[in-house]
Amino acid sequence: VELGIDAKKISVFSNGIDPEGFSAICDRRKVDKFRREYGLEDKFVVSYIGTVGRAHYARILFEAAKRHKDPDVVFLVMGAGEKFEELENESKQACLENFRLIPKRPREDIPNFIDLSDVAVVHLIKSELFKTVVPSKMFEGMAMGKPLVLGVKGEAKRILEDSGAGIPIEPE
């Protein structure tokens, strides 16, 4: 009762998601439409969906696309944020066939883009601060049954390893 609140009155709820509710809003027709629209038919899609900002280092997918030469693997970044325009300019100059940069879409499209993905990437920059965070996009990928590549240390990595939902990588 250090702050005057009885500990019995405090409950902690971790991040999470309702798997049935999230995956139920997926629309197969939209998934197929997006595959055609972005040239993803018969491709293995590695996606990052979320904020394209300083803390997220979504450009890791652009860097992977520059190094990866298999034409059947596509790296997709979808979102908005402080670093979006910079990534857009670089990707236009690079003219990579295996990289897609898609501006932020309506929230209801997110499950459809996760569904068309074969692997979901969740990534933050290397920082002690981020060892205590659990990105909610982890749970979205897990709810859709997608394997994760997680570039986050600490609690998020522990959840990933305990669940067997993917592989951790070193941030950045």
Side-chain angles (χ1 to χ4, degrees):
V1 189
E2 192 173 306
L3 297 175
I5 301 172
D6 185 351
K8 293 177 187 170
K9 294 182 178 182
I10 299 172
S11 298
V12 176
F13 293 92
S14 299
N15 282 359
I17 196 166
D18 172 13
E20 288 82 29
F22 190 77
S23 61
I25 57 178
C26 191
D27 181 337
R28 292 287 340 142
R29 290 171 301 174
K30 282 189 175 182
V31 172
D32 292 341
K33 174 185 173 272
F34 294 147
R35 279 191 177 281
R36 285 189 306 277
E37 184 177 341
Y38 294 105
L40 301 172
E41 294 166 300
D42 301 318
K43 303 291 185 190
F44 185 90
V45 180
V46 181
S47 69
Y48 171 90
I49 299 169
T51 304
V52 183
R54 253 189 284 187
H56 304 87
Y57 203 70
R59 74 172 297 110
I60 198 166
L61 274 79
F62 176 64
E63 297 297 333
K66 289 194 303 189
R67 291 173 175 79
H68 196 78
K69 302 302 178 200
D70 185 339
D72 293 326
V73 178
V74 173
F75 298 87
L76 180 150
V77 173
M78 183 180 78
E82 176 184 1
K83 295 289 186 175
F84 187 88
E85 189 175 326
E86 178 182 309
L87 187 56
E88 184 176 42
N89 291 336
E90 285 186 64
S91 66
K92 282 179 181 175
Q93 287 181 344
C95 296
L96 299 174
E97 294 286 325
N98 63 342
F99 183 74
R100 308 288 187 279
L101 183 62
I102 302 171
K104 182 178 178 181
R105 301 288 305 225
R107 179 79 185 131
E108 63 268 12
D109 285 346
I110 302 301
N112 300 310
F113 276 93
I114 294 172
D115 191 53
L116 67 75
S117 303
D118 294 287
V119 173
V121 175
V122 179
H123 192 272
L124 295 172
I125 61 170
K126 187 184 285 190
S127 169
E128 287 297 310
L129 173 68
F130 295 132
K131 287 184 177 181
T132 61
V133 303
V134 180
S136 60
K137 65 182 69 140
M138 276 181 71
F139 299 108
E140 293 173 349
M142 292 165 76
M144 296 295 294
K146 299 301 172 177
L148 302 179
V149 173
L150 178 73
V152 184
K153 297 270 190 179
E155 180 68 7
K157 181 179 176 188
R158 184 196 61 76
I159 291 169
L160 178 82
E161 290 176 334
D162 287 352
S163 69
I167 60 168
I169 61 169
E170 189 67 27
E172 295 186 55

